[in-house]
Amino acid sequence: MKSSYVLITPVRNEESTIGTTLESVVRQTIPPAEWVVVSDESTDRTDEIVNNFAAKYPFIKLLRLNGRSNRSFSSQVFATEAGIEALSCKDYDFIGFLDADIRLAKTYYADIMAKFAGNSNLGLAGGLVVDCVGGKRVPNKQSLRDVAGGVHFFRRECFDLLGGLVAIPEGGHDTITCIQVRMLDFSTQTFPEIRVDHLKPRNASEGNIAKRNMQLGFRDYALGNHPLFETVKCAYRCLEQPYLIGGAMRFVGYFWCYIIQRKRMLSPEITQEIRREQLARLFPFYRQTLCQRNRQKC
């Protein structure tokens, strides 16, 4: 018997890419039982495009949000939660979040669910995101224990235990969720052999390259990244295109917040776990201690 899944897509003014995302989902060898696309006050043709697909495919549902203010990166989380509340399908095995600028292979969800079938402890998974910008394809460089938020896909049992998503204004809910899943003793995994296309630059709404990377530094600080880990991370990012400026501006954003002691909203428990995992990646002996504490194979 095939497993069933539902999808939630928060969207705002994505007329340039939403059609590609819609097309790649309706072509899936195993389509979703229900897909709620949440339009957060879109002012372009996004709603029209979604409604055109919904007229042909009954599992697609458009939910429009209006009258919202104080927009921030938290808005995506709030829109996602509104989509979850709007689900009419209650009998499903998996729930996925999908960004509106993603293109999937037609076997994507079948392949991901096969990974869950082979690992009963897998709680959250996704494919490796490949940035497709300017005619180039650049795979996301990340720890394979983490999963990009644009393709989060949960075992329902795991997602229900989370009790909801955590939103902070600087963003980073995907990092927070991965940590929470592991704190529940489920595993998280990105599968590099299963790739998805990301159709526009990351963090594009924040402006030019310098501004986008500085904002990522603000986010790293808000998540509680360890200063040593952040220094190593930014140094590594300096070796990637755009050379030097990306890592340097991220470093500036983080340490500016550090110097002024900007207030963090994330709970101390999650921040401590983030730092433990980061130190484990830097120091093998610390990694062994962490694995023993969590009773996990690392």
Side-chain angles (χ1 to χ4, degrees):
M1 182 178 178
K2 293 181 180 178
S3 297
S4 63
Y5 66 98
V6 295
L7 295 177
I8 309 294
T9 293
V11 59
R12 178 178 170 85
N13 294 341
E14 296 284 4
E15 65 178 4
S16 64
T17 58
I18 185 66
T20 300
T21 302
L22 286 158
E23 187 64 38
S24 67
V25 171
V26 301
R27 292 177 61 248
Q28 291 296 300
T29 54
I30 303 177
E34 186 175 0
W35 182 15
V36 179
V37 181
V38 185
S39 176
D40 192 358
E41 296 188 320
S42 293
T43 57
D44 62 2
R45 294 183 57 249
T46 295
D47 293 8
E48 176 187 346
I49 295 169
V50 175
N51 276 326
N52 288 339
F53 273 82
K56 299 178 182 178
Y57 301 95
F59 62 80
I60 299 175
K61 175 181 179 179
L62 175 67
L63 172 66
R64 181 172 176 85
L65 303 181
N66 292 302
R68 289 163 49 76
S69 59
N70 300 322
R71 298 191 58 80
S72 70
F73 284 95
S74 299
S75 298
Q76 184 177 12
V77 173
F78 299 145
T80 299
E81 291 182 330
I84 296 170
E85 289 295 322
L87 285 169
S88 57
C89 176
K90 305 300 181 184
D91 185 18
Y92 55 86
D93 303 300
F94 302 96
I95 182 170
F97 305 149
L98 179 66
D99 280 359
D101 54 4
I102 296 291
R103 179 171 56 214
L104 307 169
K106 65 181 182 180
T107 62
Y108 176 78
Y109 284 113
D111 293 340
I112 289 293
M113 286 189 288
K115 297 295 186 181
F116 279 91
N119 181 357
S120 61
N121 192 54
L122 185 60
L124 168 62
L128 182 67
V129 173
V130 178
D131 291 326
C132 303
V133 180
K136 297 181 179 180
R137 292 174 55 83
V138 182
N140 187 20
K141 295 181 179 179
Q142 63 175 78
S143 166
L144 296 182
R145 289 189 72 209
D146 294 326
V147 183
V151 292
H152 272 187
F153 196 74
F154 299 84
R155 189 184 301 276
R156 183 174 184 175
E157 175 191 356
C158 172
F159 185 76
D160 288 347
L161 287 173
L162 283 176
L165 303 174
V166 176
I168 57 175
E170 296 86 356
H173 72 275
D174 49 348
T175 298
I176 297 169
T177 302
C178 286
I179 291 291
Q180 288 181 300
V181 168
R182 292 193 286 268
M183 290 173 71
L184 291 170
D185 290 330
F186 285 92
S187 62
T188 58
Q189 183 71 42
T190 287
F191 295 97
E193 69 275 20
I194 304 176
R195 300 200 167 193
V196 300
D197 292 340
H198 184 235
L199 304 176
K200 67 179 184 181
R202 294 168 186 268
N203 223 20
S205 63
E206 291 302 298
N208 60 37
I209 291 172
K211 290 181 179 179
R212 294 202 303 266
N213 281 279
M214 180 172 283
Q215 196 283 324
L216 289 173
F218 297 160
R219 178 178 300 180
D220 288 348
Y221 177 84
L223 291 172
N225 281 15
H226 194 285
L228 177 59
F229 180 86
E230 187 70 14
T231 300
V232 173
K233 177 180 179 178
C234 290
Y236 178 77
R237 296 293 185 187
C238 285
L239 303 177
E240 300 176 347
Q241 293 185 346
Y243 298 116
L244 186 61
I245 188 171
M249 294 309 297
R250 195 164 187 156
F251 184 87
V252 169
Y254 176 91
F255 281 96
W256 171 250
C257 294
Y258 190 86
I259 290 169
I260 67 172
Q261 289 296 289
R262 184 171 175 174
K263 185 178 180 180
R264 293 186 173 105
M265 297 181 63
L266 195 59
S267 73
E269 292 78 15
I270 296 178
T271 296
Q272 289 171 8
E273 191 63 27
I274 288 173
R275 291 191 169 195
R276 288 190 189 102
E277 290 198 0
Q278 290 172 344
L279 290 175
R281 290 171 63 181
L282 291 177
F283 304 110
F285 70 88
Y286 194 94
R287 180 181 177 85
Q288 183 178 4
T289 301
L290 179 65
C291 291
Q292 289 174 350
R293 183 178 65 85
N294 289 341
R295 302 184 304 279
Q296 295 176 349
K297 293 183 178 179
C298 301

